[in-house]
Amino acid sequence: MKLSILDQSPIASGQNAQEALQASLLLAQEADRLGYHRIWFTEHHDLPGLACSVPEVLISYIGAQTKDIRIGSGALLLPHYKPYRVAETYNMLAALFPGRIDLGIGRAPGGSAEATMALNDDFLQNVYKMPESVKELLNFIREDFPEDHLFSKVSAAPVPCIQPEPWILGTSEKSAILAAENGTAYAFGEFMSENDGMESFRQYRERFRIKGELKEPKTIVTVAAICAETEEYAKEIALSNTLWQIQMGLGEKIKVPSMEDVRKYEKENGSLEMKHKKMIMGTPSQVKQRLLEILEKYQADEIMLMTITHKLEDKLNSYRLIARELLDG
């Protein structure tokens, strides 16, 4: 099984952004050592609880301090940017770290309405133009504009020996179809979707067309998971993420709460345990069983894990335990 990681560079209470980004580095180095296939970094704006607003900077920093693990964006929010600039950036990363760079593409704003307006004046129009922007970006990456196209003689330099691998990320059939029609790999965010992931995968596989390097459908399903030596402790440390999601849903701009914050909240509002949504929690054997079930359900090529805890050591331990169950040997 191929296992990978999605990292949001969360900032825990009592921690600053520099410490959160250093935690992302430590996670990537441990994942590299454990045999995880890739690690992707998300793009968020105007969210005090998340440190990474520019994934390509973090990719470069971490690429220089890891050896084998693939690194990429999960996702680069394309409606904010011109395709040519994105192609230049990821081509440069691919030239620096040959055979290790993924370009994951998404369409979400990634932050508040005000932050979106600060980034660009035409976000909604650019979302509408997303299919054209994806096609243009891939033309730059693949160097395959038609000869009569305005950009046919424009190079997204530096042109790497090995192209960055394009992925389209999403939570709906629309993103699956976009990936299929453009011949890219597809990653489905099961942990954050209320949609039928099975239908998205079906649409992707049925509509896939060869357009670039990829010769057949290639898929990832991303899930939220927390593993610990005991089921009780896994459920306990998962509560920080649960409370954080609730508070962010209420519009509160906070960092990942501590267990002390969790206990205070539960004292005033009742137990959080029943509010876990779409999260896999438990012992190594329990988590292994659930991941195998998900792999079988989606027939995915790879599972990507997202783990958020207040303490870095709990997060690292979770990834170690899962790797021991599924990657050793």
Side-chain angles (χ1 to χ4, degrees), residues 7 10 25 43 45 53 57 81 97-99 109 119 135 153 166 181 212 230 255 263 286 290 305:
D7 182 38
L25 171 62
E43 175 184 337
H45 305 280
S53 57
V57 173
Y81 312 109
F97 308 108
L119 281 163
K135 184 177 180 181
K153 299 188 186 316
E181 291 178 345
T230 67
K255 299 177 180 180
R263 284 189 279 271
Q286 289 171 326
R290 286 288 291 117
L305 307 172

Side-chain angles (χ1 to χ4, degrees), residues 90-105:
Y90 281 81
N91 270 357
M92 185 165 185
L93 288 168
L96 288 168
F97 308 108
R100 295 180 60 198
I101 298 299
D102 297 327
L103 171 51
I105 305 163

Side-chain angles (χ1 to χ4, degrees), residues 28-90:
Q29 290 174 325
E30 183 69 353
D32 198 18
R33 185 187 70 80
L34 291 169
Y36 281 87
H37 187 57
R38 68 183 93 231
I39 183 167
W40 286 352
F41 304 100
T42 61
E43 175 184 337
H44 290 94
H45 305 280
D46 189 38
L47 293 177
L50 297 173
C52 187
S53 57
V54 190
E56 51 267 30
V57 173
L58 191 55
I59 291 167
S60 184
Y61 178 68
I62 286 176
Q65 299 181 76
T66 50
K67 295 180 180 180
D68 301 311
I69 193 168
R70 294 188 66 93
I71 41 181
S73 54
L76 180 285
L77 304 180
L78 187 57
H80 288 312
Y81 312 109
K82 294 286 283 185
Y84 181 55
R85 183 56 171 164
V86 174
E88 285 186 320
T89 299
Y90 281 81

Side-chain angles (χ1 to χ4, degrees), residues 134-175:
V134 167
K135 184 177 180 181
E136 184 176 305
L137 171 57
L138 293 174
N139 284 147
F140 279 123
I141 294 291
R142 295 166 176 167
E143 299 185 284
D144 63 357
F145 279 107
E147 288 186 8
D148 60 349
H149 194 282
L150 175 64
F151 300 146
S152 63
K153 299 188 186 316
V154 178
S155 174
V159 177
C161 297
I162 303 175
Q163 298 172 353
E165 183 173 73
W167 289 75
I168 289 178
L169 283 59
T171 57
S172 69
E173 294 171 36
K174 184 181 292 187
S175 58

Side-chain angles (χ1 to χ4, degrees), residues 17 21 23 53 68 75 108 112 115 121 145 147 180-181 197 204 215 235 239 246 249 256 263 281 285-286 290 305 313:
L21 293 170
S53 57
D68 301 311
S112 67
D121 297 323
F145 279 107
E147 288 186 8
E181 291 178 345
Y204 170 67
K215 303 307 179 187
K235 289 181 176 180
L239 293 175
I246 290 171
V256 181
R263 284 189 279 271
M281 298 167 288
S285 61
Q286 289 171 326
R290 286 288 291 117
L305 307 172
E313 185 52 40

